Amino acid sequence: MILSALATSVGLNLALTVLLAAAYSLLRRRPPYVEVYAPRRPYAPLEPWLAAAWRRSEEDVHAAAGLDGVVFVRIFVFSIRVFAAAAVLGVGVLLPVNFFDHQLQEIDFTDLPNKSIDLFSVSNVQDGSSKLWLHFSAVYIITGITCYLLYHEYKYISGKRLEYFMISKPLPQHFTVLVRAIPLSDGVSVGDAVDKFFKEYHASTYLSHTVVHQTGKLRRLLNNAESICTKLTNLKYVRRSTGDPPRKFLGLFSRNDLVGKYQKRLEDLEENVRMEQADATRRQEIAAAFVSFRSRYGAANAVYIRQSDNPTEWQTELAPDPHDVYWPFFSTSFMERWIAKFVVFVASVLLILVFLLVVAFVQGLTYLEQLEQWLPFLRNILEIAVVTQLVTGYLPSVILHFLSSYVPSIMKLFSTMQGFVSVSGIERSACNKMLRFTIWTVFFANVLTGSVLRQYEIFLDPKELPTKLAVLVPAQASFFIAYVVTSWTSITSELTQITALFCHLWGKCAKCCKRDGSKAPSMPYHSEIPRILLFGLLGLAYFIVAPLILPFVLVYFCLGYFIFRNQLFNIYVPKYDTGGKFWPVVHSTTIFSLVVLHIIAIGVFGLKKLPLASSLLLPLPLLTLLFNEFCRNRFLPIFEAYSTESLIKKDREEQSKPDMAEFFSNLITAYSDPALKPIQHASNSDERTAPLLASV
């Protein structure tokens, strides 16, 4: 890519970023768009969103989005700190060294816009040059800074996790465990077996239990009833708000006819739901139950001590928050979940293969000669300078961004099929899948261009890996710089909520199909965290190879910091709070990114005929992995379970509080399946009612 193409891409994306931010600032002040831009705070006074995002404290973030929201914001804070230091080193030191060493060609400043951005890469430094020791020093410096900040963040977030636990109100999930594989004998119900077992072996702490029922059919009926109820209430709302007389639809049905039709269907469904609820309560028990205890320590003992001599029976795990339970999980059998895991594995492999074809096509767009061979009829158009700059500098990254945006929902579907008992478990699994997919298909597949077999062959010879990466990574610098620049528009589009805005406008036009605007969405951590970590990987991987990428990465993180702080307060409502369990993923991925940097640097110094620098870098990845192991042993257990010290101290603080009696009374029914609760009679009401079963 030449500099003029990069400048075109930067200018275009900067203009789109400013345009989207301006559109958001205007639309958010219009009352008709409150449902889109402030579903959490529809009646809050308007103020400049940038100033509000900057002013709010971390305690405000925790109150609005939980500890997961705090961790999400801290990812941006950590990234800004790392890449601010990297940008100072890269742009202030390495970039001038690369540019003025002119190994590739003599610099003609009069023709600079037509020069390749490779002039700013390490490829332009003379082989064996003593200036390469600046690059060597920079690798050690940025590794030290990153590890120090990683340790600081891990310590800070683990401390916050303990702090928020100690000051939190009693929560049902801290007193409850999920028990599965309950052995049954003839004539004994699941409830009786659970009650007998826990009264015998946990007599001092056992409180109550809630047996899980098979409610798959019932849930489908309720979903159908909710859909009809929404249509019915929307029709009544439109009729009241417009005051129009009943009109025929296509000359056949009036609006009153539709209301009567939907009311009759809803009444029939409600009757079927009641019958199915009675049947499920009587007969459709599953060998699983939520068991509650009188203390957190009692619940922890039930989880971390094996309950039976037979390890396949009385299996226990921590219960999720009642609102976090994914109830359809209990409607699938063990065999169905096992088959689903196999299907997910095959589907994941096929998805990667399909995406590799997409990557190969996108890579072809960055090379004008190859594009002219594919599409010879466009040769005359591609000779126009502006078109060439747009096609090679902007279009490839836009296509990759667009197609990648559909992958998170697919990964979430895969995780749902695998069988997780909680929504948070599904999204954490989807986050890990998305992270592996993103690193492989977006980074390595673009770097290791070629067939799938050729990509795997590169990893089969570890000794040659640094040299091969040192050759292949710089070759794709221009593509990834354009990809990062295009991400400015992508992350700013988060402000405008284009999909939600389109649905809102469509609902205004087709009022009988108006969507329910009362539900604020939840934060899609499973898609956003992998995307953020990808840009961290790109920034570190190209730190010495192409430091020109660093200021663009820094701008991305600065935009994300302000935009997502605003969204956490105005748009997203937390569905769950894992207590910051996403941070270990961030830590491990950053360590991986540092090791990739080290491998590339070793290969670069070898190619640049500076073997001593390569040898002196060999201990660095080992030291980084040792640091990672230290952090795992020091901090990771805090994210896996609370200590005996914390649990007993918290139990003792609360045992004499008068409101604990009310809490335990509510705890007995906290894990009742929402599908078994009585439904609302929405068909006889003229008010806009809530969905029949909001938590299903």
Side-chain angles (χ1 to χ4, degrees):
M1 180 193 293
I2 59 176
L3 284 176
S4 59
L6 176 61
T8 300
S9 180
V10 171
L12 183 58
N13 281 282
L14 187 59
L16 288 173
T17 298
V18 173
L19 181 64
L20 289 171
Y24 168 72
S25 298
L26 292 175
L27 290 175
R28 67 188 288 265
R29 297 178 179 274
R30 301 284 302 278
Y33 302 105
V34 169
E35 289 182 6
V36 178
Y37 296 119
R40 288 195 65 175
R41 306 165 68 238
Y43 306 109
L46 286 174
E47 54 184 328
W49 69 272
L50 270 174
W54 173 261
R55 189 186 67 253
R56 291 189 174 103
S57 66
E58 191 171 272
E59 293 302 320
D60 295 332
V61 176
H62 180 261
L67 190 54
D68 287 339
V70 173
V71 167
F72 188 68
V73 173
R74 296 296 298 189
I75 298 174
F76 285 104
V77 173
F78 164 76
S79 301
I80 290 171
R81 289 172 176 172
V82 169
F83 286 99
V88 169
L89 283 171
V91 178
V93 179
L94 303 183
L95 199 66
V97 170
N98 294 345
F99 183 69
F100 288 108
D101 215 42
H102 53 75
Q103 171 166 303
L104 297 180
Q105 58 185 350
E106 293 292 333
I107 301 171
D108 181 5
F109 287 95
T110 60
D111 194 34
L112 193 59
N114 295 319
K115 299 297 183 183
S116 171
I117 64 171
D118 291 339
L119 291 175
F120 297 94
S121 72
V122 74
S123 304
N124 198 39
V125 180
Q126 298 281 351
D127 291 349
S129 171
S130 59
K131 295 177 183 178
L132 288 169
W133 288 104
L134 291 172
H135 298 73
F136 170 85
S137 302
V139 174
Y140 265 95
I141 291 171
I142 199 62
T143 300
I145 291 173
T146 305
C147 288
Y148 170 77
L149 291 173
L150 275 175
Y151 177 82
H152 170 76
E153 290 296 328
Y154 221 152
K155 182 179 180 181
Y156 180 82
I157 293 172
S158 60
K160 284 293 181 182
R161 176 176 165 84
L162 294 175
E163 177 187 336
Y164 288 137
F165 172 74
M166 295 306 295
I167 65 175
S168 66
K169 299 184 297 183
L171 298 173
Q173 63 267 30
H174 292 159
F175 293 82
T176 306
V177 302
L178 172 62
V179 184
R180 290 190 285 174
I182 300 171
L184 298 176
S185 54
D186 293 338
V188 178
S189 67
V190 175
D192 291 340
V194 171
D195 200 55
K196 178 181 178 182
F197 182 88
F198 283 94
K199 280 184 176 178
E200 181 174 356
Y201 297 109
H202 298 267
S204 61
T205 57
Y206 170 64
L207 176 66
S208 64
H209 69 272
T210 301
V211 177
V212 180
H213 294 81
Q214 176 76 260
T215 56
K217 180 180 177 181
L218 174 59
R219 209 166 295 278
R220 289 189 293 272
L221 289 172
L222 283 164
N223 288 336
N224 291 337
E226 181 179 346
S227 175
I228 294 174
C229 182
T230 301
K231 293 178 181 179
L232 179 61
T233 51
N234 282 330
L235 279 171
K236 292 180 179 179
Y237 173 74
V238 171
R239 185 174 61 182
R240 288 196 310 271
S241 60
T242 60
D244 293 339
R247 289 178 294 183
K248 297 284 184 178
F249 177 69
L250 298 179
L252 298 175
F253 300 103
S254 71
R255 192 173 289 140
N256 281 344
D257 293 334
L258 288 174
V259 169
K261 175 184 175 183
Y262 284 143
Q263 282 182 335
K264 181 65 170 64
R265 288 179 60 187
L266 185 58
E267 290 170 1
D268 293 341
L269 276 171
E270 286 180 348
E271 184 60 31
N272 291 337
V273 165
R274 293 187 191 95
M275 294 173 60
E276 186 64 26
Q277 283 178 334
D279 186 63
T281 305
R282 285 197 312 270
R283 297 188 292 104
Q284 299 178 11
E285 288 187 342
I286 298 173
F290 289 98
V291 180
S292 299
F293 296 82
R294 300 181 186 277
S295 67
R296 297 173 180 83
Y297 183 69
N301 274 335
V303 170
Y304 297 109
I305 297 178
R306 185 156 48 85
Q307 299 300 304
S308 172
D309 292 335
N310 184 348
T312 63
E313 297 178 350
W314 296 104
Q315 297 174 357
T316 58
E317 61 183 277
L318 291 170
D321 181 275
H323 298 96
D324 187 26
V325 177
Y326 183 68
W327 293 101
F329 162 83
F330 298 105
S331 298
T332 57
S333 65
F334 172 80
M335 183 58 66
E336 288 173 334
R337 290 195 293 271
W338 187 88
I339 294 173
K341 288 181 179 180
F342 176 76
V343 171
V344 166
F345 173 77
V346 175
S348 299
V349 173
L350 292 176
L351 180 62
I352 291 176
L353 293 176
V354 170
F355 215 81
L356 289 177
L357 296 176
V358 173
V359 169
F361 171 75
V362 169
Q363 279 295 325
L365 295 179
T366 61
Y367 299 101
L368 198 59
E369 299 81 6
Q370 187 170 344
L371 187 59
E372 290 176 346
Q373 291 178 0
W374 289 353
L375 306 171
F377 58 90
L378 295 178
R379 184 172 288 114
N380 293 332
I381 298 176
L382 294 174
E383 290 177 356
I384 303 174
V386 175
V387 175
T388 300
Q389 292 169 5
L390 287 174
V391 170
T392 60
Y394 183 68
L395 187 60
S397 53
V398 169
I399 294 174
L400 193 57
H401 271 293
F402 176 75
L403 295 176
S404 298
S405 65
Y406 291 96
V407 178
S409 57
I410 298 174
M411 293 302 180
K412 187 172 181 179
L413 174 63
F414 287 170
S415 294
T416 302
M417 293 169 59
Q418 283 184 290
F420 287 91
V421 74
S422 64
V423 175
S424 60
I426 291 172
E427 294 209 355
R428 287 174 61 200
S429 172
C431 179
N432 290 324
K433 288 184 178 67
M434 191 65 203
L435 186 59
R436 292 190 293 267
F437 177 89
T438 301
I439 289 175
W440 177 254
T441 59
V442 177
F443 180 69
F444 283 113
N446 279 285
V447 167
L448 312 175
T449 50
S451 67
V452 179
L453 291 177
R454 181 174 175 270
Q455 292 178 21
Y456 280 110
E457 286 173 359
I458 291 176
F459 292 95
L460 296 179
D461 189 1
K463 292 181 180 179
E464 295 297 320
L465 182 61
T467 303
K468 291 177 179 177
L469 287 180
V471 173
L472 295 170
V473 170
Q476 299 302 327
S478 59
F479 171 80
F480 283 119
I481 291 174
Y483 184 81
V484 173
V485 171
T486 309
S487 69
W488 297 353
T489 306
S490 175
I491 199 169
T492 310
S493 66
E494 167 67 29
L495 273 178
T496 53
Q497 295 284 304
I498 295 174
T499 303
L501 179 62
F502 175 78
C503 292
H504 178 77
L505 294 174
W506 174 258
K508 290 292 185 183
C509 296
K511 293 182 179 179
C512 65
C513 301
K514 189 178 188 303
R515 72 189 185 107
D516 180 17
S518 62
K519 292 183 181 179
S522 61
M523 181 68 205
Y525 293 117
H526 67 288
S527 63
E528 296 303 331
I529 290 178
R531 185 176 294 123
I532 298 168
L533 296 178
L534 171 65
F535 289 106
L537 170 62
L538 294 177
L540 288 174
Y542 282 92
F543 172 64
I544 65 165
V545 173
L548 186 61
I549 199 175
L550 297 173
F552 302 124
V553 173
L554 182 60
V555 169
Y556 171 84
F557 287 127
C558 290
L559 285 172
Y561 175 79
F562 285 102
I563 288 171
F564 279 107
R565 280 175 71 92
N566 176 77
Q567 302 300 79
L568 288 172
F569 281 95
N570 294 305
I571 302 290
Y572 297 118
V573 172
K575 276 188 178 179
Y576 57 82
D577 191 355
T578 67
K581 288 185 177 181
F582 284 104
W583 181 257
V585 177
V586 178
H587 178 92
S588 301
T589 306
T590 307
I591 292 293
F592 171 79
S593 301
L594 284 174
V595 173
V596 170
L597 164 64
H598 301 154
I599 294 173
I600 293 171
I602 290 170
V604 165
F605 292 129
L607 289 176
K608 287 293 179 180
K609 308 221 172 5
L610 204 67
L612 179 59
S614 294
S615 301
L616 293 176
L617 275 179
L618 288 175
L620 194 54
L622 298 177
L623 292 173
T624 303
L625 293 174
L626 286 175
F627 165 77
N628 179 55
E629 191 62 25
F630 166 76
C631 289
R632 282 174 53 85
N633 292 329
R634 171 64 180 85
F635 299 116
L636 187 58
I638 297 174
F639 290 82
E640 293 176 341
Y642 294 108
S643 66
T644 297
E645 178 184 4
S646 297
L647 293 171
I648 293 181
K649 186 183 296 184
K650 185 68 172 169
D651 285 337
R652 286 174 178 171
E653 287 177 0
E654 294 178 343
Q655 63 184 0
S656 59
K657 291 184 178 180
D659 55 353
M660 289 303 293
E662 181 182 358
F663 169 76
F664 286 127
S665 176
N666 295 331
L667 181 60
I668 294 174
T669 58
Y671 286 90
S672 298
D673 192 335
L676 297 176
K677 294 180 180 179
I679 62 174
Q680 301 175 12
H681 294 273
S683 58
N684 297 324
S685 173
D686 286 333
E687 301 297 327
R688 286 179 62 80
T689 58
L692 292 176
L693 192 63
S695 57
V696 175

